[in-house]
Protein backbone atom coordinates (compact mmCIF):
# COMPACT_ATOMS: atom_id res chain seq x y z
CA UNK A 1 0.00 0.00 0.00
CA UNK A 2 2.84 2.39 0.88
CA UNK A 3 4.48 1.79 -2.51
CA UNK A 4 1.27 2.80 -4.33
CA UNK A 5 1.15 6.06 -2.40
CA UNK A 6 4.80 6.83 -3.20
CA UNK A 7 4.31 6.10 -6.92
CA UNK A 8 1.19 8.25 -7.05
CA UNK A 9 2.95 11.07 -5.24
CA UNK A 10 5.73 11.08 -7.83
CA UNK A 11 3.23 11.06 -10.71
CA UNK A 12 1.34 13.92 -9.10
CA UNK A 13 4.57 15.88 -8.74
CA UNK A 14 5.20 15.51 -12.47
CA UNK A 15 1.67 16.74 -13.13
CA UNK A 16 2.34 19.74 -10.88
CA UNK A 17 5.48 20.48 -12.88
CA UNK A 18 3.53 20.61 -16.14
CA UNK A 19 0.93 22.86 -14.49
CA UNK A 20 3.60 25.19 -13.15
CA UNK A 21 5.45 25.58 -16.43
CA UNK A 22 2.31 26.28 -18.48
CA UNK A 23 2.78 30.06 -18.43
CA UNK A 24 6.35 30.24 -17.13
CA UNK A 25 8.43 28.44 -19.77
CA UNK A 26 10.37 31.53 -20.83
CA UNK A 27 11.45 32.58 -17.34
CA UNK A 28 15.06 31.97 -16.31
CA UNK A 29 14.14 29.74 -13.35
CA UNK A 30 11.83 27.60 -15.46
CA UNK A 31 14.36 27.20 -18.27
CA UNK A 32 17.15 26.32 -15.81
CA UNK A 33 14.95 23.70 -14.12
CA UNK A 34 13.76 22.31 -17.46
CA UNK A 35 17.28 21.54 -18.72
CA UNK A 36 17.33 18.52 -16.41
CA UNK A 37 13.74 18.48 -15.34
CA UNK A 38 13.47 14.72 -14.69
CA UNK A 39 16.52 14.66 -12.42
CA UNK A 40 15.36 17.87 -10.73
CA UNK A 41 11.88 16.45 -10.15
CA UNK A 42 13.25 13.22 -8.66
CA UNK A 43 15.46 15.29 -6.38
CA UNK A 44 12.51 17.48 -5.34
CA UNK A 45 10.44 14.33 -4.75
CA UNK A 46 13.13 12.85 -2.48
CA UNK A 47 13.33 16.11 -0.53
CA UNK A 48 9.56 16.18 -0.02
CA UNK A 49 9.09 12.60 1.16
CA UNK A 50 12.19 12.75 3.39
CA UNK A 51 10.93 16.06 4.84
CA UNK A 52 14.11 17.85 3.77
CA UNK A 53 12.40 20.23 1.35
CA UNK A 54 12.99 23.90 2.07
CA UNK A 55 11.60 27.00 0.38
CA UNK A 56 14.02 29.04 -1.73
CA UNK A 57 14.26 32.85 -1.56
CA UNK A 58 11.69 34.80 -3.59
CA UNK A 59 12.09 37.77 -5.91
CA UNK A 60 10.24 40.85 -4.70
CA UNK A 61 9.13 43.75 -6.87
CA UNK A 62 6.34 46.27 -7.33
CA UNK A 63 3.71 45.69 -9.99
CA UNK A 64 1.89 48.80 -11.19
CA UNK A 65 -0.90 47.17 -13.23
CA UNK A 66 -3.79 47.01 -12.67
CA UNK A 67 -3.04 48.43 -9.21
CA UNK A 68 0.17 49.13 -7.37
CA UNK A 69 1.02 45.95 -5.47
CA UNK A 70 3.98 44.28 -3.84
CA UNK A 71 4.68 40.92 -5.51
CA UNK A 72 6.79 38.03 -4.26
CA UNK A 73 7.68 35.70 -7.13
CA UNK A 74 8.56 32.23 -5.88
CA UNK A 75 11.40 30.14 -7.29
CA UNK A 76 10.16 27.79 -10.03
CA UNK A 77 10.71 24.62 -7.97
CA UNK A 78 8.60 26.19 -5.20
CA UNK A 79 5.91 26.96 -7.76
CA UNK A 80 5.84 23.25 -8.56
CA UNK A 81 5.25 22.50 -4.88
CA UNK A 82 2.48 25.14 -4.80
CA UNK A 83 0.70 23.39 -7.68
CA UNK A 84 1.39 20.01 -6.07
CA UNK A 85 -0.37 21.11 -2.88
CA UNK A 86 -3.11 23.00 -4.73
CA UNK A 87 -4.02 20.00 -6.89
CA UNK A 88 -4.69 17.97 -3.76
CA UNK A 89 -6.48 20.43 -1.51
CA UNK A 90 -8.13 22.72 -4.06
CA UNK A 91 -10.92 20.23 -4.88
CA UNK A 92 -11.61 19.71 -1.17
CA UNK A 93 -12.20 23.40 -0.57
CA UNK A 94 -14.30 23.69 -3.72
CA UNK A 95 -16.85 21.55 -1.85
CA UNK A 96 -16.79 23.97 1.07
CA UNK A 97 -16.86 27.38 -0.65
CA UNK A 98 -20.16 29.10 -1.35
CA UNK A 99 -20.96 29.65 -5.02
CA UNK A 100 -20.37 33.40 -4.84
CA UNK A 101 -16.79 33.32 -3.64
CA UNK A 102 -15.58 34.37 -7.08
CA UNK A 103 -11.83 34.89 -6.99
CA UNK A 104 -9.27 32.47 -8.42
CA UNK A 105 -11.67 29.61 -9.08
CA UNK A 106 -12.20 27.69 -12.30
CA UNK A 107 -15.19 29.03 -14.21
CA UNK A 108 -15.41 32.14 -12.07
CA UNK A 109 -13.39 35.35 -11.83
CA UNK A 110 -14.11 39.06 -12.28
CA UNK A 111 -16.57 38.68 -15.17
CA UNK A 112 -18.51 36.08 -13.21
CA UNK A 113 -18.54 38.31 -10.13
CA UNK A 114 -19.90 41.25 -12.12
CA UNK A 115 -22.61 39.08 -13.69
CA UNK A 116 -23.62 37.74 -10.29
CA UNK A 117 -23.94 41.25 -8.88
CA UNK A 118 -26.09 42.19 -11.87
CA UNK A 119 -28.23 39.13 -11.16
CA UNK A 120 -28.50 40.07 -7.47
CA UNK A 121 -29.73 43.56 -8.35
CA UNK A 122 -32.28 42.36 -10.92
CA UNK A 123 -33.63 39.66 -8.61
CA UNK A 124 -33.79 41.82 -5.50
CA UNK A 125 -35.43 44.73 -7.34
CA UNK A 126 -37.71 42.42 -9.37
CA UNK A 127 -36.15 43.58 -12.62
CA UNK A 128 -35.62 47.19 -11.45
CA UNK A 129 -39.27 47.68 -10.41
CA UNK A 130 -38.75 47.84 -6.64
CA UNK A 131 -36.24 49.62 -4.43
CA UNK A 132 -33.10 47.83 -3.39
CA UNK A 133 -29.73 48.95 -2.07
CA UNK A 134 -26.14 47.88 -2.56
CA UNK A 135 -23.64 47.64 0.29
CA UNK A 136 -19.96 47.37 -0.60
CA UNK A 137 -17.27 46.72 1.99
CA UNK A 138 -13.51 46.31 1.76
CA UNK A 139 -11.18 44.60 4.23
CA UNK A 140 -8.24 46.78 5.20
CA UNK A 141 -4.86 45.32 4.21
CA UNK A 142 -6.38 41.88 3.75
CA UNK A 143 -3.44 39.71 2.66
CA UNK A 144 -1.07 41.35 5.12
CA UNK A 145 -3.55 40.79 7.94
CA UNK A 146 -4.06 37.04 7.49
CA UNK A 147 -3.05 35.25 10.69
CA UNK A 148 -0.88 32.18 10.01
CA UNK A 149 -2.08 30.18 13.02
CA UNK A 150 -5.76 30.71 12.27
CA UNK A 151 -5.25 29.94 8.59
CA UNK A 152 -3.34 26.72 9.20
CA UNK A 153 -5.90 25.51 11.75
CA UNK A 154 -8.68 26.05 9.21
CA UNK A 155 -6.80 24.07 6.55
CA UNK A 156 -5.86 21.30 8.98
CA UNK A 157 -9.43 20.96 10.23
CA UNK A 158 -10.81 20.72 6.69
CA UNK A 159 -8.25 18.15 5.50
CA UNK A 160 -8.76 15.99 8.58
CA UNK A 161 -12.49 16.07 7.89
CA UNK A 162 -11.90 14.29 4.57
CA UNK A 163 -8.87 12.25 5.61
CA UNK A 164 -10.57 8.85 5.31
CA UNK A 165 -11.90 9.36 1.79
CA UNK A 166 -8.91 11.05 0.13
CA UNK A 167 -6.31 8.99 -1.78
CA UNK A 168 -3.26 11.07 -0.89
CA UNK A 169 -0.93 11.33 2.09
CA UNK A 170 -2.74 13.99 4.15
CA UNK A 171 0.07 14.25 6.71
CA UNK A 172 2.66 14.88 3.99
CA UNK A 173 0.54 17.62 2.43
CA UNK A 174 -0.15 19.22 5.81
CA UNK A 175 3.60 19.45 6.46
CA UNK A 176 4.05 21.24 3.12
CA UNK A 177 1.10 23.53 3.87
CA UNK A 178 2.63 24.37 7.25
CA UNK A 179 5.92 25.29 5.58
CA UNK A 180 4.20 27.50 3.00
CA UNK A 181 1.88 29.24 5.46
CA UNK A 182 4.54 30.04 8.07
CA UNK A 183 7.34 30.86 5.62
CA UNK A 184 8.61 34.44 5.88
CA UNK A 185 9.00 35.49 2.24
CA UNK A 186 10.84 38.68 3.21
CA UNK A 187 13.82 36.75 4.61
CA UNK A 188 16.57 36.47 2.01
CA UNK A 189 14.39 37.74 -0.81
CA UNK A 190 15.99 39.46 -3.80
CA UNK A 191 14.49 42.87 -4.45
CA UNK A 192 14.32 44.07 -8.05
CA UNK A 193 13.36 47.50 -9.28
CA UNK A 194 13.99 50.80 -7.57
CA UNK A 195 13.50 51.81 -3.96
CA UNK A 196 11.28 54.59 -5.25
CA UNK A 197 8.83 51.94 -6.50
CA UNK A 198 7.70 51.40 -2.90
CA UNK A 199 6.96 55.08 -2.32
CA UNK A 200 3.27 55.65 -1.79
CA UNK A 201 2.54 52.00 -1.05
CA UNK A 202 0.67 51.87 2.30
CA UNK A 203 2.39 49.85 5.01
CA UNK A 204 -0.67 47.59 5.30
CA UNK A 205 -0.04 46.58 1.67
CA UNK A 206 3.55 45.46 2.27
CA UNK A 207 4.73 42.18 3.75
CA UNK A 208 7.81 43.95 5.11
CA UNK A 209 5.59 45.77 7.62
CA UNK A 210 3.26 42.89 8.51
CA UNK A 211 3.00 41.81 12.14
CA UNK A 212 4.85 38.61 13.16
CA UNK A 213 3.13 35.44 11.91
CA UNK A 214 0.85 37.44 9.68
CA UNK A 215 0.60 38.09 5.98
CA UNK A 216 0.73 36.09 2.77
CA UNK A 217 2.82 36.97 -0.30
CA UNK A 218 0.78 38.18 -3.25
CA UNK A 219 1.84 36.25 -6.32
CA UNK A 220 1.70 32.64 -5.10
CA UNK A 221 -0.99 30.21 -6.27
CA UNK A 222 -1.37 28.96 -2.72
CA UNK A 223 -1.93 32.51 -1.43
CA UNK A 224 -4.90 32.85 -3.77
CA UNK A 225 -6.45 29.65 -2.44
CA UNK A 226 -5.61 30.44 1.18
CA UNK A 227 -7.21 33.87 0.80
CA UNK A 228 -10.51 32.14 0.06
CA UNK A 229 -10.03 29.56 2.81
CA UNK A 230 -9.42 32.24 5.43
CA UNK A 231 -12.76 33.94 4.75
CA UNK A 232 -14.81 30.81 4.03
CA UNK A 233 -16.42 30.65 7.48
CA UNK A 234 -17.12 34.38 7.21
CA UNK A 235 -18.87 33.79 3.87
CA UNK A 236 -21.13 31.20 5.50
CA UNK A 237 -21.78 33.54 8.43
CA UNK A 238 -22.99 36.35 6.17
CA UNK A 239 -24.96 34.12 3.80
CA UNK A 240 -26.65 31.87 6.36
CA UNK A 241 -26.39 33.42 9.84
CA UNK A 242 -27.16 36.98 8.75
CA UNK A 243 -29.47 35.69 6.02
CA UNK A 244 -27.95 37.74 3.20
CA UNK A 245 -29.24 35.91 0.14
CA UNK A 246 -27.61 38.33 -2.27
CA UNK A 247 -24.03 38.18 -1.01
CA UNK A 248 -20.81 37.81 -2.95
CA UNK A 249 -17.08 38.26 -2.42
CA UNK A 250 -14.03 38.65 -4.63
CA UNK A 251 -10.87 38.43 -2.46
CA UNK A 252 -11.53 41.27 0.00
CA UNK A 253 -14.27 43.06 -1.98
CA UNK A 254 -17.61 42.30 -0.34
CA UNK A 255 -21.01 43.11 -1.83
CA UNK A 256 -24.51 42.64 -0.37
CA UNK A 257 -27.81 43.59 -2.00
CA UNK A 258 -31.02 44.02 0.02
CA UNK A 259 -34.34 45.84 -0.19
CA UNK A 260 -34.02 47.38 3.25
CA UNK A 261 -31.39 50.11 3.52
CA UNK A 262 -31.65 50.19 7.32
CA UNK A 263 -31.00 46.46 7.49
CA UNK A 264 -27.80 46.90 5.50
CA UNK A 265 -26.73 49.68 7.88
CA UNK A 266 -27.42 47.43 10.85
CA UNK A 267 -25.23 44.54 9.66
CA UNK A 268 -22.11 46.65 9.08
CA UNK A 269 -21.11 46.51 12.78
CA UNK A 270 -22.02 42.79 12.90
CA UNK A 271 -19.75 42.06 9.95
CA UNK A 272 -17.01 44.20 11.48
CA UNK A 273 -17.31 42.46 14.83
CA UNK A 274 -17.07 39.00 13.27
CA UNK A 275 -13.97 39.92 11.28
CA UNK A 276 -12.20 41.45 14.26
CA UNK A 277 -13.15 38.75 16.80
CA UNK A 278 -12.54 35.69 14.66
CA UNK A 279 -10.00 36.73 12.03
CA UNK A 280 -8.23 39.85 13.40
CA UNK A 281 -9.31 41.82 10.36
CA UNK A 282 -10.96 45.22 10.00
CA UNK A 283 -13.37 46.80 7.54
CA UNK A 284 -11.76 49.73 5.73
CA UNK A 285 -13.65 52.73 7.19
CA UNK A 286 -13.17 54.82 4.04
CA UNK A 287 -14.42 52.14 1.67
CA UNK A 288 -17.99 51.64 2.82
CA UNK A 289 -20.49 52.22 0.00
CA UNK A 290 -24.27 52.13 0.45
CA UNK A 291 -26.50 53.42 -2.36
CA UNK A 292 -29.74 52.80 -4.25
CA UNK A 293 -29.18 50.63 -7.31
CA UNK A 294 -30.24 53.51 -9.62
CA UNK A 295 -27.06 55.34 -8.64
CA UNK A 296 -24.97 52.64 -10.25
CA UNK A 297 -22.12 50.75 -8.62
CA UNK A 298 -18.47 50.11 -9.48
CA UNK A 299 -17.38 46.54 -8.94
CA UNK A 300 -14.39 44.54 -10.22
CA UNK A 301 -13.50 46.93 -13.01
CA UNK A 302 -17.07 47.44 -14.23
CA UNK A 303 -19.83 49.98 -13.65
CA UNK A 304 -23.33 48.53 -13.30
CA UNK A 305 -26.44 50.57 -14.10
CA UNK A 306 -30.00 49.32 -14.68
CA UNK A 307 -30.16 47.35 -17.96
CA UNK A 308 -26.49 47.87 -18.85
CA UNK A 309 -22.94 47.32 -17.64
CA UNK A 310 -19.95 49.42 -18.67
CA UNK A 311 -16.25 48.74 -18.48
CA UNK A 312 -14.47 50.66 -15.73
CA UNK A 313 -12.39 53.72 -16.58
CA UNK A 314 -9.25 52.14 -15.15
CA UNK A 315 -9.53 49.06 -17.37
CA UNK A 316 -10.30 51.27 -20.35
CA UNK A 317 -7.26 53.44 -19.62
CA UNK A 318 -5.03 50.40 -19.21
CA UNK A 319 -6.09 49.11 -22.64
CA UNK A 320 -5.43 52.51 -24.24
CA UNK A 321 -1.96 52.49 -22.69
CA UNK A 322 -1.30 48.95 -23.89
CA UNK A 323 -2.33 49.86 -27.44
CA UNK A 324 0.00 52.85 -27.38
CA UNK A 325 2.79 50.59 -26.13
CA UNK A 326 2.31 48.26 -29.11
CA UNK A 327 2.14 51.18 -31.55
CA UNK A 328 5.49 52.41 -30.25
CA UNK A 329 6.88 48.86 -30.26
CA UNK A 330 5.98 48.42 -33.92
CA UNK A 331 7.76 51.64 -34.84
CA UNK A 332 10.85 50.64 -32.86
CA UNK A 333 10.95 47.37 -34.85
CA UNK A 334 10.71 49.29 -38.14
CA UNK A 335 7.24 47.81 -38.66
CA UNK A 336 8.59 44.26 -38.63
CA UNK A 337 7.19 41.86 -36.04
CA UNK A 338 8.62 38.44 -35.25
CA UNK A 339 6.30 35.51 -34.64
CA UNK A 340 6.92 35.79 -30.91
CA UNK A 341 6.19 39.56 -30.95
CA UNK A 342 2.96 38.91 -32.81
CA UNK A 343 1.87 36.22 -30.38
CA UNK A 344 2.51 38.52 -27.42
CA UNK A 345 0.52 41.30 -29.09
CA UNK A 346 -2.41 38.95 -29.76
CA UNK A 347 -2.35 37.51 -26.26
CA UNK A 348 -2.29 40.94 -24.63
CA UNK A 349 -4.92 42.55 -26.85
CA UNK A 350 -7.34 39.63 -26.95
CA UNK A 351 -7.23 39.37 -23.17
CA UNK A 352 -8.60 42.91 -22.92
CA UNK A 353 -11.08 42.40 -25.77
CA UNK A 354 -12.39 39.17 -24.25
CA UNK A 355 -13.04 40.96 -20.98
CA UNK A 356 -14.61 43.98 -22.66
CA UNK A 357 -16.94 41.80 -24.74
CA UNK A 358 -18.71 40.86 -21.50
CA UNK A 359 -20.04 44.44 -21.25
CA UNK A 360 -21.68 47.09 -23.45
CA UNK A 361 -18.49 48.08 -25.25
CA UNK A 362 -19.00 47.52 -28.99
CA UNK A 363 -18.41 51.17 -29.90
CA UNK A 364 -15.44 51.39 -27.56
CA UNK A 365 -13.82 48.28 -29.07
CA UNK A 366 -14.46 49.61 -32.58
CA UNK A 367 -12.92 52.98 -31.70
CA UNK A 368 -9.81 51.50 -30.13
CA UNK A 369 -9.10 49.04 -32.93
CA UNK A 370 -9.92 51.33 -35.87
CA UNK A 371 -8.75 54.69 -34.52
CA UNK A 372 -6.17 54.06 -31.80
CA UNK A 373 -4.34 50.96 -33.03
CA UNK A 374 -1.79 51.71 -35.75
CA UNK A 375 -3.12 50.76 -39.19
CA UNK A 376 0.27 49.15 -39.87
CA UNK A 377 -0.85 46.22 -37.72
CA UNK A 378 -3.29 45.34 -40.51
CA UNK A 379 -0.30 43.94 -42.39
CA UNK A 380 -0.28 41.18 -39.78
CA UNK A 381 -3.79 40.85 -38.36
CA UNK A 382 -7.46 41.54 -38.93
CA UNK A 383 -10.51 41.93 -36.69
CA UNK A 384 -13.72 40.00 -36.32
CA UNK A 385 -16.82 41.99 -37.27
CA UNK A 386 -17.77 42.56 -33.63
CA UNK A 387 -14.23 43.78 -32.78
CA UNK A 388 -14.06 41.21 -30.01
CA UNK A 389 -10.96 39.38 -31.23
CA UNK A 390 -7.84 39.95 -33.31
CA UNK A 391 -6.53 37.08 -35.46
CA UNK A 392 -3.51 36.58 -37.70
CA UNK A 393 -3.81 37.20 -41.44
CA UNK A 394 -3.66 34.04 -43.50
CA UNK A 395 -0.42 35.13 -45.19
CA UNK A 396 1.29 35.38 -41.79
CA UNK A 397 0.44 31.82 -40.78
Amino acid sequence: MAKIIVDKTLCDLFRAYYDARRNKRLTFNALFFEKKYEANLFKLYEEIISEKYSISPSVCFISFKPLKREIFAANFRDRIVHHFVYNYIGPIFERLFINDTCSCRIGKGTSYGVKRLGHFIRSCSENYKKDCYILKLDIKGYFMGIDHVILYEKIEKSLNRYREIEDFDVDLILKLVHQIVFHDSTKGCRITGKKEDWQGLPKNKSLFFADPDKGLPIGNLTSQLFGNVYLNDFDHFVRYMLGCKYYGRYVDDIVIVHRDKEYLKSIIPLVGSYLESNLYLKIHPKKIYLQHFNKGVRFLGAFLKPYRTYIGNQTKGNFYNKIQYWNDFLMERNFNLSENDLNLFLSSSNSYLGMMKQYNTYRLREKILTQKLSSDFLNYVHFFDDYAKIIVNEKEK
Side-chain angles (χ1 to χ4, degrees):
M1 183 66 182
K3 186 176 185 300
I4 295 176
I5 293 176
V6 169
D7 289 345
K8 181 181 185 305
T9 301
L10 181 58
C11 291
D12 291 339
L13 189 63
F14 269 80
R15 175 193 168 194
Y17 160 70
Y18 289 115
D19 290 341
R21 78 172 188 170
R22 188 171 296 132
N23 296 313
K24 299 292 180 183
R25 296 198 71 178
L26 296 179
T27 64
F28 175 79
N29 278 332
L31 291 171
F32 184 79
F33 191 95
E34 193 164 310
K35 286 177 64 177
K36 298 180 179 179
Y37 79 94
E38 288 186 346
N40 287 329
L41 281 172
F42 276 105
K43 180 181 179 182
L44 180 58
Y45 165 74
E46 292 294 338
E47 290 179 12
I48 290 173
I49 63 172
S50 63
E51 299 181 21
K52 294 179 180 179
Y53 164 73
S54 60
I55 298 174
S56 303
S58 301
V59 175
C60 179
F61 59 94
I62 294 293
S63 172
F64 295 90
K65 300 292 183 181
L67 297 171
K68 189 171 185 177
R69 298 184 303 169
E70 180 184 81
I71 303 294
F72 283 84
N75 187 283
F76 183 71
R77 73 196 303 271
D78 296 322
R79 289 179 182 272
I80 296 172
V81 175
H82 294 167
H83 280 274
F84 180 67
V85 170
Y86 182 92
N87 289 341
Y88 283 134
I89 72 175
I92 293 176
F93 285 103
E94 278 296 316
R95 307 171 198 167
L96 305 177
F97 294 151
I98 66 170
N99 181 62
D100 293 299
T101 299
C102 303
S103 62
C104 307
R105 297 173 66 190
I106 296 174
K108 300 186 187 294
T110 55
S111 295
Y112 179 85
V114 171
K115 288 179 181 178
R116 288 297 291 172
L117 177 54
H119 168 73
F120 291 165
I121 296 170
R122 288 192 302 275
S123 297
C124 191
S125 66
E126 295 186 11
N127 205 26
Y128 312 116
K129 295 175 183 177
K130 294 188 177 181
D131 289 333
C132 80
Y133 299 85
I134 303 162
L135 172 65
K136 276 202 318 174
L137 303 171
D138 184 278
I139 298 174
K140 189 173 183 179
Y142 176 51
F143 273 99
M144 303 313 140
I146 291 177
D147 185 279
H148 297 167
V149 174
I150 295 175
L151 172 61
Y152 180 76
E153 288 177 350
K154 287 179 178 294
I155 298 171
E156 183 181 42
K157 180 180 178 181
S158 297
L159 293 193
N160 283 331
R161 176 180 171 184
Y162 292 96
R163 177 183 287 271
E164 299 302 321
I165 63 173
E166 293 300 333
D167 62 347
F168 63 87
D169 189 335
V170 173
D171 291 324
L172 176 69
I173 298 304
L174 278 174
K175 287 171 183 174
L176 291 175
V177 168
H178 190 279
Q179 273 188 278
I180 295 169
V181 169
F182 287 91
H183 176 69
D184 185 352
S185 298
T186 65
K187 295 294 178 62
C189 71
R190 180 166 62 88
I191 298 176
T192 62
K194 304 174 183 176
K195 289 185 178 180
E196 294 76 26
D197 292 345
W198 270 261
Q199 290 181 358
L201 185 73
K203 289 186 177 181
N204 64 12
K205 299 286 186 181
S206 174
L207 205 56
F208 292 101
F209 295 97
D211 292 336
D213 286 329
K214 283 193 176 184
L216 293 181
I218 297 176
N220 289 349
L221 175 66
T222 47
S223 294
Q224 297 170 6
L225 174 62
F226 295 163
N228 283 335
V229 172
Y230 198 71
L231 286 176
N232 184 47
D233 290 337
F234 169 76
D235 292 335
H236 286 266
F237 167 75
V238 177
R239 173 66 61 83
Y240 301 109
M241 298 300 291
L242 296 184
C244 296
K245 178 181 179 181
Y246 303 114
Y247 163 80
R249 178 177 62 80
Y250 187 93
V251 191
D252 58 347
D253 291 324
I254 297 165
V255 63
I256 306 172
V257 181
H258 200 277
R259 286 186 181 174
D260 188 344
K261 185 176 183 179
E262 294 305 314
Y263 173 77
L264 290 176
K265 287 182 180 178
S266 71
I267 66 171
I268 295 174
L270 299 178
V271 168
S273 176
Y274 183 98
L275 289 171
E276 290 196 43
S277 301
N278 296 280
L279 302 172
Y280 304 148
L281 299 172
K282 291 184 178 182
I283 294 173
H284 199 303
K286 295 182 180 180
K287 295 184 179 180
I288 299 175
Y289 171 96
L290 178 57
Q291 288 286 357
H292 192 277
F293 75 87
N294 273 331
K295 300 283 187 180
V297 58
R298 299 187 186 281
F299 189 61
L300 304 182
F303 185 69
L304 289 83
K305 291 278 285 184
Y307 301 104
R308 56 204 185 276
T309 302
Y310 300 106
I311 198 76
N313 289 332
Q314 186 176 67
T315 304
K316 189 193 311 181
N318 288 341
F319 192 27
Y320 274 122
N321 292 337
K322 185 61 70 174
I323 289 296
Q324 187 57 53
Y325 164 82
W326 282 110
N327 287 341
D328 295 340
F329 184 89
L330 186 62
M331 290 183 64
E332 290 172 3
R333 295 297 190 276
N334 295 318
F335 305 98
N336 291 312
L337 292 179
S338 68
E339 182 179 352
N340 185 56
D341 293 336
L342 186 57
N343 288 335
L344 289 173
F345 165 71
L346 290 173
S347 176
S348 172
S349 301
N350 285 330
S351 176
Y352 276 102
L353 291 171
M355 177 171 52
M356 294 171 70
K357 188 182 178 182
Q358 307 292 325
Y359 313 120
N360 305 107
T361 59
Y362 174 83
R363 292 185 183 277
L364 177 62
R365 299 196 307 270
E366 179 187 30
K367 177 182 177 181
I368 291 175
L369 295 184
T370 60
Q371 299 181 29
K372 301 298 181 182
L373 183 66
S374 171
S375 59
D376 292 295
F377 272 101
L378 297 180
N379 294 325
Y380 296 91
V381 300
H382 66 275
F383 318 130
F384 279 134
D385 291 339
D386 60 357
Y387 299 103
K389 190 175 183 181
I390 306 174
I391 60 176
V392 179
N393 289 333
E394 286 296 328
K395 65 180 182 180
E396 292 296 328
K397 292 183 179 180

